Amino acid sequence: MTDEWRGWREAAQAALYGDEGFYRSPVRSPAGPAGHFRTSVHASPLFATAVARLLTGIARELNTGTVALVDVGAGRGELLTGVLAALAARPEGPDVTPYAVEVAARPPGLDPRIEWCVEPPAGVTGLLFANEWLDNVPVEVAEADAEGVPRYVRVRTSDGAERLGAPVTGADAAWLERWWPLSAPGERAEIGRPRDAAWARAVGSLTAGLAVAVDYTHVRGARPPFGTLTGFRSGREVRPVPDGSCDLTAHVALDACAAAVAEARAEASTELTDQRAALRRLGVGGDRPPLGLAGTDPAGYVRALAAAGEAAELTARGGLGDFGWLLHRVGLPALPP
């Protein structure tokens, strides 16, 4: 990559999704995202099983035996593979048309039923699921200068060095004022407008069903004062350098994404909760099996204990359980509070 100063959005776009970018280059990331960071999908098959239950419930509400499952930011298709396996074990489940939305090339050996595409298919009915996708949608970074004026942060692509650029104006300034105001010198924010637009487009691809975004999140009134932009490489958090050598990620203002969908599709009902609550509703709770089971079914007790440990990780406070779940019901009645 050329050694030049750019805004963070442009620099991250090239570093992640350019021809030699982190997510597209088989040399830089031969194992895909799983080689660099661990998501709920990689933590336990219980996550895919929960998504399968969610899909089955949506099919029941839609009163159809055939539904689409659209996995946005599909990586190497791990979630879709897990959901299809979970549904195969439940003959009463719906027939599924699975779509993997991903910029990287289709991996070899993937289930041939999975359709590989670069954009969510339009006009589908079913479940659209985006697990840790929005945090990789590049955004501009702003920082308040010595006078408290928000300015764009410019970054040097070769080493990640930063300097302040022009004042933030226009729609970006309006977004900051509404969702992440800056005033004290040195305060930083990631300007989430591209994520709002990307999520509204994704939800807009559904004719009817449920759209779910799962991600690191924060809400207005509790934003981190210095932003969240960081990098990951080989399982370790590293300094964010937009040279294509590492993942670049920042937490998502899911409340702003929710508002963008509400403005675009007023008929869609919205819920913002955490992964702990969402997975418990889907039968993933982390409770230990009764000790008496060890005497009557030792092997079953060991399996149940292992599953409880995996469920505990998926729902842990201070960890995966704190992830935000943003849910939009499209063409379905709103759930009672």
Side-chain angles (χ1 to χ4, degrees):
M1 296 197 176
T2 59
D3 186 10
E4 60 181 305
W5 295 91
R6 299 179 176 181
W8 263 109
R9 184 183 180 190
E10 179 187 1
Q13 182 69 35
L16 294 178
Y17 304 116
D19 290 341
E20 298 300 318
F22 180 78
Y23 279 110
R24 298 189 67 179
S25 170
V27 175
R28 292 184 185 274
S29 189
H36 297 278
F37 51 86
R38 192 165 182 258
T39 72
S40 297
V41 177
H42 309 125
S44 170
L46 292 176
F47 191 80
T49 299
V51 175
R53 291 191 188 116
L54 186 60
L55 179 64
T56 299
I58 292 302
R60 190 178 301 119
E61 285 195 69
L62 291 167
N63 193 28
T64 178
T66 303
V67 287
L69 174 56
V70 183
D71 181 11
V72 186
R76 295 299 187 266
E78 298 95 335
L79 177 60
L80 289 173
T81 299
V83 171
L84 291 174
L87 290 172
R90 303 174 62 182
E92 74 280 7
D95 291 329
V96 178
T97 304
Y99 298 90
V101 182
E102 181 57 68
V103 297
R106 181 189 184 99
L110 192 66
D111 191 313
R113 291 175 292 174
I114 298 174
E115 298 192 30
W116 201 263
C117 44
V118 296
E119 294 288 342
V124 298
T125 298
L127 174 63
L128 181 143
F129 203 88
N131 184 60
E132 294 194 48
W133 168 57
L134 288 171
D135 66 293
N136 288 128
V137 173
V139 294
E140 296 288 3
V141 177
E143 181 177 324
D145 66 14
E147 286 72 44
V149 175
R151 292 180 175 273
Y152 291 109
V153 175
R154 307 281 288 176
V155 61
R156 191 161 56 196
T157 55
S158 62
D159 60 4
E162 294 181 335
R163 67 186 184 191
L164 296 187
V168 179
T169 59
D172 284 346
W175 190 93
L176 283 179
E177 181 64 26
R178 179 180 181 185
W179 294 110
W180 199 336
L182 300 178
S183 56
E187 288 186 344
R188 288 167 65 108
E190 291 96 33
I191 303 174
R193 279 200 319 117
R195 294 169 172 180
D196 299 351
W199 183 236
R201 286 195 302 272
V203 177
S205 70
L206 274 182
T207 296
L210 179 69
V212 183
V214 181
D215 234 310
Y216 305 95
T217 191
H218 44 61
V219 295
R220 198 182 195 286
R223 307 285 190 213
F226 304 111
T228 62
L229 179 66
T230 191
F232 281 93
R233 183 190 304 117
S234 301
R236 297 178 179 270
E237 188 171 5
V238 297
R239 184 165 167 265
V241 178
D243 62 356
S245 69
C246 65
D247 179 38
L248 299 170
T249 177
H251 294 198
V252 183
L254 285 178
D255 50 351
C257 294
V261 171
E263 291 163 6
R265 295 193 73 158
E267 83 281 6
S269 64
T270 299
E271 178 189 7
L272 179 56
T273 187
D274 60 35
Q275 178 155 298
R276 187 178 312 106
L279 287 184
R280 284 186 179 275
R281 291 200 305 245
L282 294 168
V284 180
D287 297 328
R288 292 172 64 92
L291 188 58
L293 183 63
T296 59
D297 183 5
Y301 177 77
V302 171
R303 289 193 299 271
L305 193 62
E310 294 176 6
E313 180 183 3
L314 290 172
T315 59
R317 296 186 185 278
L320 294 174
D322 291 342
F323 271 50
W325 278 50
L326 176 59
L327 303 94
H328 301 281
R329 293 169 59 84
V330 178
L332 296 170
L335 292 176

